[in-house]
Amino acid sequence: MNIKNTAKEIIKLIGGGENISYLEHCSTRLRFTLKDDSLVKKEQLEKVDGVIGVRQNVQCQVIIGNDVVEVYDEVQKQLGNITSNNDNIPKKKQAIGATILDFIISIFQPLVPAIAGGGVLQSLLLLLSVLGIMSSESQTYQILKLIGTSPLYFLPILVAMTTAKKLNVNQLVAVSAVGTMILPGMTTMLSEGTSLFGFGIENIAYASQVFPAILTVLFYAQIEKLFTKISPKAIRIFFVPMMSMVITVPIALLILGPLGFNVGVVFSTAVMWLYSHFGWAATAVLAGVLPLMVMTGMHKAMVPYAVSAIGELGYEVLYLPASLAHNISEAGACFAVSIRTKDMKLRATAISAGISALFGITEPALYGVTVLNKRVLYSVMGSSLIGGAFAGIFAIKGFALVGPGLASITMFVDKVNPMNFVWAIATFGLSFVVAFAAVLVTYKDKKVDEKNDEKATTLSTDEEILTSPVEGKVIALSEVHDEVFSSGMMGKGIAIIPKSSDLVAPEDGEITMIFNTNHALGLKTSNGAEILFHIGIDTVQLGGKYFEAFVKEGDHVNRGQKLISFDIDKIKEAGFDPTVMCIVTNQETYQIEAQMIEKNVSRDSKVLSILPI
């Protein structure tokens, strides 16, 4: 992979540097916050050398795999540093679920390396102690253990930093407010019983707590904004932080801290109830659906629970054992694909992704191998289910919040129950073998027979005549009140001022993309033309409101089939232009001619001809 070219192509295909508001990366992905998500050319982006896959929901996530840091650095080099200011991020209307998920990811994703590093260090020390290599009474052991426990002890501080960053308020003042709650002097006063303004303060050990810190910073953010607004500028530098802390900390000690602590208790109690009532079945089911959860990003919703459980109990019994079964199943499946496939590129991807999964990072395996073949996906889900059931039956406990894998397997070392580690090793082996065997038996390369190849070749030279996707008045793209479309930057085509509220297929084809807000859709016709339908201008800001999709990505549709319905009147009332754009995005290989300009059309009217060059 040429890192420089990969970075250049990624920037180009997400709409250019001017479309990027914010950029960060995790262990496998570049995470872009964009000004206009509709500018992303997903299908072309997925074909870039070095790109394993693309996901679009709250952010545009470009999955790179093991080379993510190098690609990130090169993208930064070509763009300049744009990650430091949250003010750049556009305010988009989102569904409540997407907003909550975005908030959770923003707070907990940055915490994982510190928590994982400390947790694995503790597990390694415990293993050395159990094996008799290092005495747990030695000063060296004690110092190293303190290093390992530090991230969890100061978890409220770390959470305060990430929450404040997400809310775009002063991080240092937020940390100071939350830090007050874990000061040794404060801890002593709480344990001895104390009061504030005549009200008794509940004795809670706030070290390692997550939710009290989140609630405290949420409240602090409102207080800071209030005093910033009303404070004279001459004294703002000290008056705002002083008043914010003097109001926030008492409210936190009296109300928010106990409330957050009880939220954490409810979280842990609910999961423990689930585990106690359903036992191994709960672990099995979670492991089985984890591939789907990871693909949709919903596994991030488990992180607050896992962090809270480890902070409260010192271990976790559901998510980490299920993740072990899933991660190693992905590895086994990838290695089996690398043996069975004759596609050299897929073989290289499968080997690399298998190694990553073996060490607890599954995104390269999921997007580069698993989701490309249903038999592999079903094999992974089945193997994860079996491995998860085994882990659940033997009640395996995880002691570090890190992706379970070969390097982090010591996270299952339990000094009280040495067999916990043995059963974890067994889960590792069982998951790998079942997935490997299942894929080895069921996997088949995707083949196209010669007749279909000939047919495809014949069809690829045919002219496509598109009928109107919506009733209304056809206008030239140059008349659209959006420079991105009117300049032809996205491609050639037409625009229609709609009179009906249904977008229909103008030709037979395959749905290649449907935006998560349902305002944009991609269709690939039989001659290979890639058509983008974009309903309205800036309607992404509606967050899916007034749009309903009747198809999904991968569906084969027929001419005249309803694709999306939209409420023209509501869109107009919200202040948006409902004009529908119909654009050929791979225009460089086609001769495109618009028809019926400045005329009213029905669904049977021929509006666009597309002829391969």
Side-chain angles (χ1 to χ4, degrees):
M1 176 175 62
N2 186 314
I3 299 292
K4 186 173 293 186
N5 287 343
T6 298
K8 181 179 179 181
E9 286 298 306
I10 290 172
I11 295 170
K12 172 185 172 184
L13 294 173
I14 61 174
E18 63 277 5
N19 192 38
I20 303 171
S21 294
Y22 187 76
L23 168 64
E24 59 187 353
H25 76 88
C26 57
S27 56
T28 60
R29 313 179 190 191
L30 299 176
R31 296 173 175 269
F32 293 94
T33 301
L34 303 176
K35 297 173 184 176
D36 187 348
D37 296 310
S38 66
L39 296 182
V40 176
K41 297 180 179 179
K42 182 180 178 182
E43 189 170 341
Q44 295 179 44
L45 188 54
E46 289 178 332
K47 295 177 182 178
V48 173
D49 183 33
V51 174
I52 295 172
V54 179
R55 280 190 61 243
Q56 282 186 274
N57 43 38
V58 178
Q59 295 176 312
C60 175
Q61 301 175 29
V62 181
I63 304 159
I64 303 297
N66 297 332
D67 295 315
V68 66
V69 174
E70 289 76 13
V71 176
Y72 170 82
D73 289 341
E74 182 59 33
V75 171
Q76 282 280 58
K77 181 179 177 182
Q78 294 186 25
L79 291 175
N81 185 11
I82 61 170
T83 64
S84 60
N85 187 4
N86 284 348
D87 291 334
N88 288 330
I89 301 178
K91 307 301 181 184
K92 300 178 183 178
K93 294 183 179 180
Q94 298 175 341
I96 184 66
T99 301
I100 293 173
L101 183 60
D102 178 44
F103 187 70
I104 290 172
I105 292 173
S106 298
I107 291 174
F108 289 98
Q109 181 75 39
L111 302 178
V112 173
I115 298 173
V120 172
L121 175 58
Q122 289 188 76
S123 65
L124 285 171
L125 288 171
L126 188 56
L127 179 62
L128 293 174
S129 175
V130 170
L131 295 175
I133 298 174
M134 181 181 290
S135 170
S136 60
E137 303 300 322
S138 69
Q139 291 185 346
T140 299
Y141 182 96
Q142 295 298 325
I143 290 174
L144 291 175
K145 186 178 180 181
L146 287 174
I147 295 173
T149 57
S150 177
L152 269 181
Y153 182 85
F154 289 108
L155 196 54
I157 300 294
L158 304 181
V159 169
M161 291 180 66
T162 56
T163 307
K165 181 178 180 181
K166 176 61 179 175
L167 298 175
N168 200 25
V169 293
N170 191 304
Q171 294 181 52
L172 297 180
V173 180
V175 164
S176 299
V178 172
T180 306
M181 302 166 71
I182 62 171
L183 286 171
M186 181 66 73
T187 302
T188 301
M189 289 182 67
L190 293 178
S191 64
E192 295 175 349
T194 189
S195 62
L196 181 64
F197 305 127
F199 296 98
I201 302 177
E202 190 172 345
N203 179 21
I204 296 173
Y206 288 108
S208 303
Q209 294 290 323
V210 172
F211 298 103
I214 293 175
L215 293 180
T216 298
V217 177
L218 283 169
F219 180 75
Y220 161 77
Q222 306 310 311
I223 299 299
E224 182 195 84
K225 291 175 183 177
L226 172 64
F227 279 100
T228 299
K229 184 178 180 179
I230 66 176
S231 171
K233 292 182 180 180
I235 62 171
R236 184 179 291 171
I237 190 171
F238 68 87
F239 185 74
V240 172
M242 178 188 73
M243 294 304 299
S244 298
M245 287 194 293
V246 84
I247 293 175
T248 297
V249 176
I251 294 297
L253 290 170
L254 291 170
I255 301 173
L256 300 178
L259 177 61
F261 173 78
N262 289 319
V263 168
V265 170
V266 169
F267 252 95
S268 300
T269 302
V271 175
M272 293 302 293
W273 179 91
L274 183 69
Y275 186 77
S276 63
H277 282 73
F278 296 96
W280 61 267
T283 311
V285 171
L286 178 59
V289 300
L290 264 178
L292 306 179
M293 292 179 67
V294 174
M295 282 189 284
T296 58
M298 290 307 299
H299 68 300
K300 296 296 184 184
M302 295 294 295
V303 175
Y305 147 71
V307 171
S308 179
I310 289 178
E312 286 284 328
L313 307 173
Y315 61 85
E316 196 278 320
V317 297
L318 184 62
Y319 178 56
L320 294 175
S323 295
L324 174 64
H326 168 233
N327 293 355
I328 306 309
S329 293
E330 292 283 359
C334 283
F335 287 125
V337 169
S338 72
I339 293 174
R340 289 296 309 274
T341 186
K342 295 179 181 179
D343 184 332
M344 297 305 295
K345 184 176 180 180
L346 177 58
R347 178 174 297 167
T349 299
I351 293 173
S352 175
I355 293 172
S356 293
L358 203 61
F359 286 87
I361 299 174
T362 58
E363 281 90 343
L366 268 168
Y367 293 100
V369 180
T370 305
V371 300
L372 302 180
N373 190 297
K374 289 183 179 179
R375 296 185 183 191
V376 178
L377 176 60
Y378 296 153
S379 296
V380 168
M381 292 179 70
S383 173
S384 300
L385 184 75
I386 294 170
F390 184 87
I393 289 171
F394 291 99
I396 295 174
K397 297 177 181 178
F399 295 87
L401 186 60
V402 61
L406 186 61
S408 58
I409 193 67
T410 55
M411 65 188 286
F412 295 101
V413 173
D414 185 354
K415 194 170 185 178
V416 177
N417 176 23
M419 288 303 295
N420 191 75
F421 184 61
V422 175
W423 297 131
I425 294 291
T427 301
F428 186 112
L430 178 65
S431 301
F432 186 94
V433 170
V434 172
F436 183 86
V439 173
L440 205 62
V441 171
T442 63
Y443 179 81
K444 291 182 180 179
D445 273 329
K446 293 183 179 180
K447 295 181 180 179
V448 180
D449 59 42
E450 292 181 2
K451 291 184 178 179
N452 285 338
D453 280 343
E454 292 173 2
K455 184 178 179 182
T457 301
T458 301
L459 289 174
S460 68
T461 62
D462 288 346
E463 179 182 19
E464 294 282 9
I465 304 294
L466 302 190
T467 55
S468 180
V470 65
E471 295 179 356
K473 181 180 179 181
V474 177
I475 61 173
L477 272 182
S478 58
E479 300 299 316
V480 174
H481 301 299
D482 186 303
E483 187 178 353
V484 172
F485 295 108
S486 62
S487 65
M489 186 185 306
M490 292 293 294
K492 295 180 180 179
I494 58 169
I496 304 170
I497 301 173
K499 290 184 179 179
S500 66
S501 296
D502 291 331
L503 179 77
V504 302
E507 180 56 276
D508 298 349
E510 179 184 353
I511 303 300
T512 58
M513 176 279 291
I514 183 164
F515 204 72
N516 60 343
T517 54
N518 296 329
H519 77 288
L521 175 145
L523 174 73
K524 188 173 184 178
T525 66
S526 57
N527 75 346
E530 298 170 1
I531 316 296
L532 170 68
F533 301 98
H534 194 285
I535 305 172
I537 297 172
D538 294 331
T539 46
V540 65
Q541 298 179 33
L542 291 171
K545 200 173 182 181
Y546 314 134
F547 295 89
E548 181 180 3
F550 295 89
V551 292
K552 62 183 182 299
E553 188 173 322
D555 283 354
H556 289 273
V557 297
N558 299 317
R559 186 195 297 264
Q561 182 177 335
K562 185 191 290 189
L563 307 178
I564 296 175
S565 66
F566 53 100
D567 192 320
I568 298 174
D569 293 333
K570 293 291 186 181
I571 292 172
K572 288 181 178 178
E573 288 175 10
F576 296 92
D577 183 339
T579 299
V580 177
M581 277 64 71
C582 174
I583 298 167
V584 181
T585 56
N586 57 343
Q587 58 177 330
E588 61 278 356
T589 55
Y590 294 90
Q591 180 180 322
I592 303 161
E593 292 186 8
Q595 304 175 30
M596 305 293 287
I597 299 297
E598 296 298 330
K599 292 184 179 180
N600 292 318
V601 294
S602 66
R603 294 177 185 172
D604 295 325
S605 302
K606 298 177 181 179
V607 295
L608 202 65
S609 69
I610 307 172
L611 178 66
I613 299 174

